[in-house]
Amino acid sequence: MAVSKKELEFNKNEDTMRMRISDMERKLEKIHLGGGKKRIEKHHAKGKMTARERIEALIDPNTETLEIGAFVGEDMYQEYGGCPSGGVVIKIGYVSGRQCIIVANDATVKAGAWFPITGKKNLRAQEIAMENHLPIIYLVDSAGVFLPLQDEIFPDKEHFGRIFRNNAVMSAQGITQIAAVMGSCVAGGAYLPIMSDESLIVNKTGTIFLAGSYLVKAAIGESIDNETLGGATTHTAVSGVCDYKSENDAECLATIRDLMDKIGAKEKAGFDRAESAPPELKEREIYGLFPEDRAKPYDMRQIVKRIVDNSEFTEYKKDYGKTILCGYARIDGWSVGIVANQRQVVKNAKGEMQFGGVIYTDTADKAARFIMVCNQKNIPLVFLQDVSGFMVGSKSEHAGIIKDGAKMVSAMSNSVVPKFTIILGNSYGAGNYAMCGKAYDPRLIVSWPTAELAVMSGASAAKTLAQIEVASLKRRGEEVDEVKQKEIYDKIKARYDAQISPYYSAARLWVDAIIDPLETRKVISMGIEMANHKKSDQRYNVGAVQT
């Protein structure tokens, strides 16, 4: 039986997506080893669990988790031996039935020292906790600031000190903070567990002090060992710094579970949730529906219907502004408003066929109005990004694309309902902004392995930059033939392609995670559940948005 062209394309797309997912999983396997097998063995020899083992033992069995920033630090700090996962593991999960966020230093990576990206990742965890009133648990095992890079982590507003400022702010806001000292906790880092609501320390392995024994000897001439200076007995029986003493990691984690079990309930945000139902259409078909060629059109509705409950999508202004889809659905029972780019055939000024999720004046106006309605109805927003940017040219400029684009950005920026962003494919230029990129405070922002984040596509950027470089060479009187031009173009494109990779973005925490498309429902559902912990203290001001 002959296979149709459509089936062949579906199979090709599916194979490409599976390869991308397989590549992602291989990278994760390596990352999960932290500082490597030898360092893990040394860690175990001290009677300590690794960061990931501690989290696994702490969370409720057979429950969902979402790791934040697994790819942070990827291919960074190579001159220092690298920094897998930024030297800290962060997961959203459930402890004693309560959703929380867990931050665990990975002492197999440079003794858990803080690189600049480690600070950024820790601050992201605290940001999630504050935005969503989510309990936060710190599993501390860190040597403190990574001294060779101290100037990039110590003094600025978003550096190391911001952690302790956030401790104080969260405490004032009534956000539960529990800290367990399960290894080193030194210098300024010693304030983190003590600025939490309750602190635990593990006997013989946990230590807390502003300065260790060597520095004390050098500074004031006192000879003392680290255990006497700041061990578990000292801080639970003498100084009173810590609240609970545990004999080992397992006992410490069990005590945390017991503490979490006693937390009282607080007012919710009131997001609507019905009984969950799976999509009627097969989720796995997303693999074949999403095009391997990012220049090809496809129907985003078919993607949406494989994400939402019962594959039911009530579309808003279906026949107007067709390059953005807006509508209502449920995801794992939660009511959501979806704003999604529709990559379809368009014509440029020369009449040539082009493809891409381009935002026009009508689509921007439609999206802005839909965002306002969702805010009025207290419905969380989900943005599905595959956007090339705003339409350019005289026709769009004369129609007021800047005005309507500003209206969409303003409506989205002033949103008081939580926003969640999934980057499927392109995320270029101002399109990234209008569709709730990282700068616009999505509660979570994740990408599929097919995502690209950049000012423009690799080919467009390379062509532009190559033209500039060729012109510069010619002005200096150099001969630039076609071979030389191609060499310049290929070199620039290779560099640019590396920078638009989703892994480049994830390494720098421009996205919280790279996920298998089949995890999209889970991410959105867990995200809305955590957002439901905090009722907004603001009303949506429609007057703040141009009409």
Side-chain angles (χ1 to χ4, degrees):
M1 185 176 176
V3 179
S4 69
K5 184 178 179 181
K6 188 175 180 179
E7 288 174 313
L8 284 172
E9 190 168 315
F10 183 96
N11 292 338
K12 186 179 179 183
N13 293 340
E14 185 177 40
D15 288 344
T16 300
M17 183 67 83
R18 287 183 183 279
M19 283 191 290
R20 287 179 182 268
I21 292 168
S22 179
D23 182 50
M24 178 183 74
E25 289 172 345
R26 281 196 301 272
K27 288 176 183 290
L28 283 172
E29 282 180 18
K30 184 178 179 182
I31 285 168
H32 288 172
L33 291 174
K37 291 181 179 179
K38 287 185 178 179
R39 288 182 184 170
I40 290 174
E41 288 169 4
K42 287 182 179 179
H43 206 67
H44 286 162
K46 297 175 184 176
K48 297 163 68 173
M49 298 179 182
T50 65
R52 292 183 182 279
E53 289 167 344
R54 286 167 176 165
I55 293 175
E56 190 63 30
L58 180 61
I59 59 175
D60 297 345
N62 305 313
T63 55
E64 297 281 15
T65 62
L66 172 61
E67 183 165 355
I68 301 296
F71 290 102
V72 161
E74 177 82 353
D75 290 330
M76 296 171 67
Y77 311 116
Q78 292 304 307
E79 65 273 36
Y80 300 107
C83 186
S85 247
V88 62
V89 182
I90 297 174
K91 285 192 179 184
I92 297 169
Y94 303 86
V95 177
S96 298
R98 288 160 173 79
Q99 193 182 40
C100 59
I101 187 163
I102 305 162
V103 181
N105 300 115
D106 186 350
T108 70
V109 179
K110 290 289 188 293
W114 288 54
F115 284 72
I117 200 67
T118 315
K120 184 175 183 179
K121 185 172 175 179
N122 275 268
L123 288 171
R124 176 59 178 147
Q126 290 185 320
E127 180 182 40
I128 290 171
M130 287 188 285
E131 284 182 332
N132 302 286
H133 223 279
L134 203 61
I136 184 166
I137 299 169
Y138 307 99
L139 305 180
V140 184
D141 193 347
S142 171
V145 166
F146 185 64
L147 291 177
L149 297 173
Q150 65 85 27
D151 62 318
E152 297 179 39
I153 182 63
F154 171 64
D156 210 346
K157 181 178 177 180
E158 299 298 329
H159 283 178
F160 193 65
R162 189 75 171 183
I163 301 290
F164 317 125
R165 174 265 186 193
N166 288 349
N167 288 143
V169 169
M170 283 190 278
S171 182
Q173 292 175 351
I175 299 169
T176 297
Q177 299 178 82
I178 297 172
V181 179
M182 309 178 81
S184 297
C185 185
V186 300
Y191 287 102
L192 184 145
I194 316 312
M195 293 188 75
S196 299
D197 300 313
E198 293 179 284
S199 61
L200 306 87
I201 186 167
V202 178
N203 196 24
K204 303 300 182 186
T205 55
T207 52
I208 308 172
F209 34 65
L210 296 179
S213 56
Y214 291 121
L215 186 53
V216 167
K217 177 69 173 176
I220 64 173
E222 181 184 2
S223 295
I224 189 169
D225 64 273
N226 283 339
E227 187 64 26
T228 306
L229 181 65
T233 300
T234 296
H235 284 311
T236 54
V238 180
S239 72
V241 164
C242 290
D243 306 307
Y244 306 93
K245 177 182 175 182
S246 303
E247 288 305 314
N248 51 50
D249 281 9
E251 183 183 315
C252 181
L253 298 171
T255 304
I256 295 173
R257 291 181 56 80
D258 188 53
L259 296 173
M260 287 292 293
D261 180 58
K262 309 302 187 297
I263 297 174
K266 295 190 179 181
E267 187 179 12
K268 302 289 186 182
F271 304 128
D272 186 67
R273 192 177 198 184
E275 186 177 347
S276 176
E280 190 175 281
L281 300 174
K282 293 179 181 177
E283 289 180 75
R284 196 165 290 275
E285 289 177 347
I286 289 173
Y287 290 176
L289 289 167
F290 191 79
E292 177 252 348
D293 183 348
R294 63 186 58 251
K296 286 191 174 180
Y298 65 97
D299 189 356
M300 179 65 87
R301 291 180 188 85
Q302 297 305 315
I303 302 289
V304 170
K305 288 180 179 180
R306 285 160 177 82
I307 293 173
V308 302
D309 291 12
N310 296 314
S311 300
E312 293 175 352
F313 179 55
T314 305
E315 195 165 344
Y316 172 83
K317 292 185 182 289
K318 182 177 180 180
D319 298 319
Y320 179 75
K322 293 185 179 181
T323 61
I324 282 185
L325 307 181
C326 297
Y328 304 105
R330 289 190 183 274
I331 294 177
D332 196 24
W334 294 105
S335 169
V336 297
I338 295 174
V339 181
N341 302 113
Q342 174 78 314
R343 197 197 294 177
Q344 63 182 40
V345 179
V346 296
K347 289 183 179 181
N348 64 15
K350 297 178 181 178
E352 299 168 336
M353 306 302 280
Q354 292 186 325
F355 314 103
V358 181
I359 301 175
Y360 290 83
T361 53
D362 55 353
T363 50
D365 175 73
K366 168 179 158 179
R369 292 179 186 279
F370 181 71
I371 290 166
M372 286 189 276
V373 172
C374 285
N375 272 271
Q376 296 290 72
K377 295 163 77 173
N378 199 31
I379 299 174
L381 287 160
V382 175
F383 292 84
L384 302 178
Q385 277 198 22
D386 189 1
V387 59
S388 299
F390 284 84
M391 194 60 188
V392 297
S394 61
K395 186 176 179 181
S396 290
E397 297 292 359
H398 296 169
I401 186 67
I402 296 174
K403 172 176 63 68
D404 288 314
K407 184 194 301 181
M408 180 179 175
V409 171
S410 183
M412 183 269 301
S413 300
N414 283 290
S415 176
V416 297
V417 296
K419 299 168 289 192
F420 302 91
T421 303
I422 317 292
I423 304 173
L424 285 64
N426 301 335
S427 181
Y428 297 153
N432 169 281
Y433 298 165
M435 290 294 292
C436 195
K438 183 67 182 287
Y440 294 85
D441 299 323
R443 298 294 178 95
L444 291 172
I445 177 169
V446 301
S447 75
W448 289 2
T450 43
E452 287 188 0
L453 283 78
V455 172
M456 61 183 75
S457 71
S460 297
K463 194 177 294 183
T464 302
L465 292 170
Q467 287 173 350
I468 293 170
E469 188 166 335
V470 167
S472 177
L473 291 170
K474 286 181 177 179
R475 280 197 301 272
R476 294 202 298 264
E478 295 185 32
E479 290 285 333
V480 185
D481 58 17
E482 287 187 10
V483 174
K484 179 67 174 176
Q485 287 185 33
K486 186 177 184 307
E487 184 183 305
I488 292 170
Y489 172 83
D490 289 345
K491 183 179 178 181
I492 293 172
K493 188 171 186 303
R495 185 179 72 244
Y496 203 87
D497 283 346
Q499 293 177 355
I500 64 178
S501 158
Y503 297 102
Y504 190 91
S505 300
R508 289 152 183 80
L509 210 55
W510 300 344
V511 296
D512 293 316
I514 303 174
I515 65 167
D516 182 327
L518 300 184
E519 291 186 299
T520 303
R521 277 172 58 85
K522 179 189 86 171
V523 169
I524 295 169
S525 177
M526 288 184 71
I528 298 175
E529 182 183 352
M530 73 182 190
N532 200 38
H533 284 92
K534 183 183 180 183
K535 186 175 182 180
S536 175
D537 55 4
Q538 297 175 295
R539 288 195 63 186
Y540 191 67
N541 184 4
V542 178
V545 182
Q546 297 173 18
T547 56

